[in-house]
Amino acid sequence: MADDIFREVDDDMRMERLRLMARRYVGAAVAVAVVAAAGVGGWQYHAWRGRQDAQAWGATYFAALHLADTSHIAPGETSALTPQQKDAMARLATLDNVPSGLRTLSRLERAALLASSGDTKGALALWTQVSDDQAADPLLRGLASLLWVQHQIDDGDPAVLRSRLATLDGAGKPWRGLAQESEAMLDLRQGRVADARRKLSQITTQIDVPEGLRSRAGGMLQTLNAAPS
């Protein structure tokens, strides 16, 4: 029962944040192109092409998001990709060489689709590409590392997983709460129940983590405290 609780991830929060960031990247690209268009001569044509490209990339990304909807899949479940999702994968793959903002988001979306279909190996490869991409937004690089760990929490090398989580667990780090939750899961896997309780208790007192995560940590603690010692 504890494993089921631990597998819950803040998917809605994560996907909404990605969508907001996508809009920011597309808007920024268009804004830069518009500003550049104020120039003269050859720069006007260059700016016009840049604006057209940015709009086309954004249209491709958001069309793929619509096709890729996986809201019908419950956390922890897998389902074969639908024809629409395969189409979304193909569209997202065309963004692999565009500027880093949409490139990163497209890789994260593709990884989510692969993970939902049971292709964990393919998803891990994409998350690694994002986390290793020095041009990518640090927030998204951290998210990719977190997802890489979460999808190997049951059978990955604990030392390697903890090493990744250590880079995410620190004061002010955006993924700190979820990293601590994953560390607690590793503690339980290794029989370190007292350490798991300590980490979960820390999560419940942190005001800078989502309320849902604090509630989940509290529920985990109740489950552990109710279990026979």
Side-chain angles (χ1 to χ4, degrees), residues 165-187:
L165 290 171
T167 66
L168 305 174
D169 181 4
K173 295 291 184 69
W175 304 110
R176 182 185 187 188
L178 289 169
Q180 288 177 322
E181 182 184 49
S182 293
E183 288 171 343
M185 294 163 65
L186 282 172
D187 287 336

Side-chain angles (χ1 to χ4, degrees), residues 58-76:
T60 297
Y61 177 78
F62 287 111
L65 281 190
H66 179 71
L67 291 168
D69 181 26
T70 57
S71 60
H72 63 286
I73 301 175

Side-chain angles (χ1 to χ4, degrees), residues 99-201:
S100 62
L102 282 180
R103 179 178 71 234
T104 300
L105 291 167
S106 72
R107 286 174 175 172
L108 289 173
E109 293 287 349
R110 286 160 61 199
L113 284 170
L114 290 175
S116 73
S117 70
D119 186 359
T120 303
K121 182 178 180 180
L124 292 174
L126 285 167
W127 286 321
T128 297
Q129 288 180 21
V130 173
S131 63
D132 290 347
D133 187 353
Q134 297 296 319
D137 188 300
L139 179 68
L140 298 183
R141 292 180 65 194
L143 173 60
S145 285
L146 177 66
L147 292 170
W148 190 90
V149 169
Q150 288 179 330
H151 283 77
Q152 300 183 88
I153 207 72
D154 293 328
D155 52 17
D157 183 338
V160 173
L161 300 183
R162 289 185 188 279
S163 177
R164 287 255 189 161
L165 290 171
T167 66
L168 305 174
D169 181 4
K173 295 291 184 69
W175 304 110
R176 182 185 187 188
L178 289 169
Q180 288 177 322
E181 182 184 49
S182 293
E183 288 171 343
M185 294 163 65
L186 282 172
D187 287 336
L188 287 178
R189 174 183 159 190
Q190 296 182 292
R192 296 157 55 173
V193 179
D195 289 337
R197 284 195 177 102
R198 177 176 55 80
K199 290 184 176 74
L200 293 171
S201 180

